[in-house]
Amino acid sequence: MSVTFTRPHILLTQPVPEDTDRILNRDYVVHRLYQAADPSHLLEQEGSHIAGVVTGGAKGLSRDMMEKLPALKIIAISGIGTDAVDLNYAAERGVWVTTTPGVLTDDVADMAFGLLISTLRQMGEAEQVVRNGLWPQTSLPLSRKVSGITLGIVGMGRVGQAIARRAEAFSMKVLYNSTRAVPDLDYRFISDIHQLAREADVLVLAASADGGHVIITDAVLDALGRDGYFINVARGKLVDENALLAALTEGRIAGAGLDVFAHEPHVPEGFLSLKNVTLQPHRASATLQTRIAMGEMVLENLAACFSGKQPPHRV
């Protein structure tokens, strides 16, 4: 007697690397929400069949969408952020939530340093001088030296520690604030984020967004001061963006490097005209090698779930 195997239905909220996409198409029935002319209609037509969702950390999966997927067994996040998923509701439903920890740490730390160097050395502004043929007649102001600065890191998890290791190579003094002091680290822990900002030349936000509340307030920016710089590779919603824009515009801090924003893909218009700000479209982990590795972990989590096992990278 022959046995018919029915492939599980998977919902993709965003594109994945080509190799990952090929295997998804081989092993699953794939529905692409990001290509749907009418996403609501797609969910109405196919929602009852969908057993898995592949999404990104920033996009996540809202509770409202989860409620439209009664057969849902797993939310496989390509990333490490779980703040855009209602974890309590997922647990109530018995839905696995998985992430791809570890593989994107170096890329995010690299992006933090790229933003730091670009901002302090005014590389974006200088590039435009060259591109626009203005080199001979333009005198750029002297930039800020990078090596030897005091670096304050908010959040000393995997990414924060990777940033700190890079800082050592630049002879930087590393200070940090986190939910608690991390054992066996030689860097100085400062429990008050305002004190950290006062002592730092550059403040880097690398904290988890699971709590969701604003960490970088107007008071923190004032403590950072007119000679201080702010770098964000965490989540935009952890920052009071209005306060940050005001601090930059009024010269209360020296500059900022931002890979993330509170309401992506919307970027507050005021940032766009500021020469002392480096902007990126939330692409810290966007290297081919890392996205392939993240895709492999997503596939691993899905395969475990649909074979009746616990996904290896569950939260």
Side-chain angles (χ1 to χ4, degrees):
M1 181 177 68
S2 63
V3 177
T4 302
F5 173 70
T6 302
R7 292 183 297 162
H9 287 242
I10 298 291
L11 182 71
L12 277 182
T13 69
Q14 59 193 46
V16 294
E18 184 178 341
D19 288 349
T20 305
D21 196 84
R22 177 177 52 79
I23 296 173
L24 286 173
N25 278 315
R26 183 193 69 190
D27 295 343
Y28 305 97
V29 178
V30 179
H31 305 278
R32 302 175 189 277
L33 190 68
Y34 62 94
Q35 290 182 342
D38 186 346
S40 296
H41 180 69
L42 171 61
L43 293 175
E44 288 174 7
Q45 293 294 110
E46 304 294 345
S48 62
H49 305 300
I50 291 169
V53 173
V54 177
T55 188
K59 188 175 292 292
L61 191 72
S62 69
R63 176 166 178 157
D64 181 62
M65 285 186 65
M66 290 172 65
E67 289 172 346
K68 293 180 172 66
L69 309 175
L72 188 63
K73 294 182 178 180
I74 183 171
I75 303 168
I77 297 171
S78 182
I80 55 175
T82 60
D83 50 296
V85 174
D86 188 331
L87 296 178
N88 291 329
Y89 181 62
E92 290 173 13
R93 288 267 307 270
V95 175
W96 293 112
V97 179
T98 65
T99 59
T100 58
V103 293
L104 70 164
T105 299
D106 282 335
D107 276 351
V108 178
D110 289 349
M111 175 62 81
F113 255 79
L115 288 169
L116 188 157
I117 294 171
S118 179
T119 304
L120 270 64
R121 295 300 307 270
Q122 302 168 351
M123 293 174 71
E125 184 179 358
E127 180 181 9
Q128 291 306 310
V129 167
V130 176
R131 287 186 180 276
N132 294 326
L134 302 175
W135 188 358
Q137 61 267 41
T138 300
S139 178
L140 287 169
L142 295 177
S143 61
R144 176 67 162 88
K145 184 176 180 178
V146 172
S147 296
I149 64 172
T150 298
L151 185 68
I153 302 174
V154 182
M156 194 52 87
R158 285 190 178 98
V159 172
Q161 291 182 42
I163 293 170
R165 289 193 295 272
R166 284 155 176 76
E168 291 179 5
F170 283 80
S171 302
M172 295 180 182
K173 178 181 178 182
V174 176
L175 315 173
Y176 77 98
N177 168 271
S178 200
T179 52
R180 63 186 66 85
V182 181
D184 303 321
L185 285 185
D186 292 333
Y187 317 119
R188 181 173 148 223
F189 171 70
I190 300 179
S191 60
D192 181 3
I193 191 172
H194 302 86
Q195 182 63 31
L196 177 72
R198 276 191 290 272
E199 295 194 32
D201 297 309
V202 177
L203 190 68
V204 178
L205 182 59
S208 165
D210 291 348
H213 63 280
V214 170
I215 296 174
I216 306 302
T217 62
D218 191 60
V220 171
L221 295 168
D222 276 344
L224 184 59
R226 61 182 299 142
D227 295 323
Y229 295 80
F230 172 66
I231 307 296
N232 190 4
V233 290
R235 283 286 191 268
K237 68 181 180 181
L238 299 179
V239 178
D240 182 336
E241 282 191 336
N242 290 330
L244 176 59
L245 183 56
L248 288 162
T249 303
E250 297 164 9
R252 289 189 284 117
I253 66 171
L258 310 173
D259 183 50
V260 290
F261 304 89
H263 304 289
E264 296 173 359
H266 170 70
V267 177
E269 188 173 349
F271 287 121
L272 305 181
S273 60
L274 293 175
K275 294 180 179 180
N276 57 343
V277 181
T278 304
L279 304 172
Q280 287 287 292
H282 198 157
R283 60 191 306 269
S285 68
T287 66
L288 177 61
Q289 295 77 9
T290 291
R291 288 293 172 87
I292 288 174
M294 291 165 70
E296 290 172 350
M297 295 177 78
V298 165
L299 293 169
E300 188 180 3
N301 287 321
L302 291 173
C305 173
F306 292 117
S307 62
K309 301 174 184 177
Q310 292 187 347
H313 307 294
R314 60 195 179 274
V315 298

